[in-house]
Amino acid sequence: MSAQPPPDTAPPEDYRLLVPRDWFRVDLAQEGWRPQLKKFVDQQAARKKLSTQSRQGLWTSLRNTAESSVAHGSLEFFLKADAGLYSTTPATLLISLLPMPGDLYVSARDWAPELAKKRSGTVTVEGLTAGETVRIATASTLDYYVEMPGRVGYLVLAFSVPLSGVESPMGELCEAIASSLRWV
């Protein structure tokens, strides 16, 4: 019988995250993500009475983001629907897996200085309930690199808040969503 690692160091099987119901979820881990994304675009176009050109522009922009994200290990894409007339996505959340197995693994505290050299924004290390986290904030983005138990890598929560910026109630909501992360 082989020894099992302690529960707090075993790699998680999954994660849970509290995202408000009015955020539209696209499962990028499934082949059928395009129809899900198209449904969001169609709903926004109908709600805002977008022109055909605007609808196509929204579809192209979101599809390109999703395709690029899938190619880089993204799992989920959340889009906040807007009730206003002019904006279509006041906030987004892209969740990705960044594996760092074995000798590739680096702790959040050791990795933060390297990220600060390569990324613009304010880089800090925080202790979320889910684990040590590198937080990178710019005027309109919040990225969280959350250490996964078992030293297997990071779960990345990438928020974009282009309209109100991170220093706003929407930015505070993004902070709360990140703080809700739990391992299963």
Side-chain angles (χ1 to χ4, degrees), residues 100 102-115 123-126 131-134 145-148 151-154:
M100 285 186 174
D103 291 341
L104 296 176
Y105 179 80
V106 61
S107 73
R109 296 215 178 267
D110 292 337
W111 195 26
E114 292 303 313
L115 285 171
V123 178
T124 58
V125 177
E126 299 180 358
E132 284 287 297
T133 303
V134 178
Y145 294 80
V146 184
E147 282 186 8
M148 295 174 65
R151 301 171 55 103
V152 294
Y154 288 82

Side-chain angles (χ1 to χ4, degrees), residues 110-164:
D110 292 337
W111 195 26
E114 292 303 313
L115 285 171
K117 291 176 191 174
K118 298 175 183 176
R119 299 276 312 270
S120 61
T122 304
V123 178
T124 58
V125 177
E126 299 180 358
L128 295 182
T129 302
E132 284 287 297
T133 303
V134 178
R135 179 183 179 273
I136 304 173
T138 68
S140 62
T141 64
L142 281 171
D143 293 343
Y144 292 86
Y145 294 80
V146 184
E147 282 186 8
M148 295 174 65
R151 301 171 55 103
V152 294
Y154 288 82
L155 190 70
V156 182
L157 309 176
F159 293 93
S160 176
V161 191
L163 297 178
S164 61

